[in-house]
Amino acid sequence: MAANRVPMISIGNTECLVVTVVDTSIVCMTEPMNSGDTADTAYDVVVTLSGQNATRACSSAAACQFTYEAAKTVNMTRVTPNSGAVGAGFMLTIAGTNFDTTPANNKVYLERVPGVSRMTDSSGPEAASVPSNAAIVALPQCTVIAASATQLVCRLEPLAAGTVRLHVLVEGKGTAVMGAAAAASTWFKSEVTVTKALPAAGSRAGTMMTI
């Protein structure tokens, strides 16, 4: 396959984002299911290159199909705590459903959210029901140390000030869905905290302070 030509992959009405291409295989990341598609329905995987669909030479119809399965869909509903001091590490608890019970099979990625100081509700474009998978893996992971089907505990290393969105990727299942009502609860804010200012009073002409 020519290196300067990037194929397009579609599954039903949903795109699969191309990650790597070699002569004999393509690796792509499925985007969240399009509203025009139906869960638990098999769709043909269509490869298009330079406007032409690739010839299908599948051993069976099922060999070249993909199904968005409800039973394999992971959901995340809440992250606690959802804020903390800059420079401090935290243990985060992520609630949801359909996680893998083996900690190493759950990956928690962070995505820096520019210009966001605090998420207070589920309105606005940042609260879309499922974030684009193209945005995942923007920052280091929150390392999962304990897991059950409904809860993950991960160790978050110190972060610079700002807000991050958490994404959960489960081996063999895929990226977790965040319902619109849960989107506001799956962010973490690293905050600058002021504890004391000294001295409490000083010259009207100017005073050196320590904060």
Side-chain angles (χ1 to χ4, degrees):
M1 190 175 295
N4 62 344
R5 294 189 296 171
V6 178
M8 290 186 61
I9 315 296
S10 60
I11 301 168
N13 296 300
T14 305
E15 184 179 1
C16 190
L17 298 173
V18 174
V19 178
T20 60
V21 181
V22 296
D23 284 343
T24 58
S25 67
I26 301 168
V27 175
C28 67
M29 178 71 169
T30 59
E31 281 280 77
M33 188 179 71
N34 190 287
S35 59
D37 294 332
T38 304
D40 298 318
T41 299
Y43 289 96
D44 289 340
V45 176
V46 178
V47 178
T48 304
L49 186 64
S50 299
Q52 299 293 321
N53 288 349
T55 301
R56 300 175 69 82
C58 309
S59 58
S60 65
C64 292
Q65 292 181 330
F66 179 84
T67 302
Y68 284 96
E69 293 186 13
K72 288 190 174 183
T73 299
V74 182
N75 293 275
M76 61 183 298
T77 56
R78 181 170 295 275
V79 175
T80 53
N82 61 8
S83 64
V86 168
F90 290 91
M91 301 297 287
L92 303 184
T93 299
I94 302 170
T97 59
N98 220 11
F99 298 135
D100 195 295
T101 56
T102 300
N105 291 341
N106 304 278
K107 306 297 184 185
V108 179
Y109 294 99
L110 310 179
E111 176 195 357
R112 179 69 70 185
V113 182
V116 176
S117 59
R118 179 177 292 277
M119 191 68 170
T120 56
D121 57 37
S122 58
S123 62
E126 292 83 9
S129 60
V130 185
S132 170
N133 288 330
I136 295 179
V137 198
L139 289 172
Q141 296 180 28
C142 184
T143 305
V144 177
I145 61 172
S148 71
T150 58
Q151 181 174 285
L152 302 178
V153 177
C154 68
R155 182 174 60 250
L156 180 65
E157 301 300 326
L159 295 174
T163 301
V164 293
R165 178 192 285 124
L166 277 70
H167 299 277
V168 175
L169 184 63
V170 179
E171 186 174 327
K173 295 179 180 178
T175 309
V177 171
M178 291 184 291
S185 302
T186 54
W187 298 49
F188 182 85
K189 183 181 179 184
S190 185
E191 302 176 304
V192 176
T193 303
V194 176
T195 59
K196 184 176 291 187
L198 294 173
S203 169
R204 291 172 59 188
T207 301
M208 188 72 73
M209 294 190 66
T210 299
I211 301 172

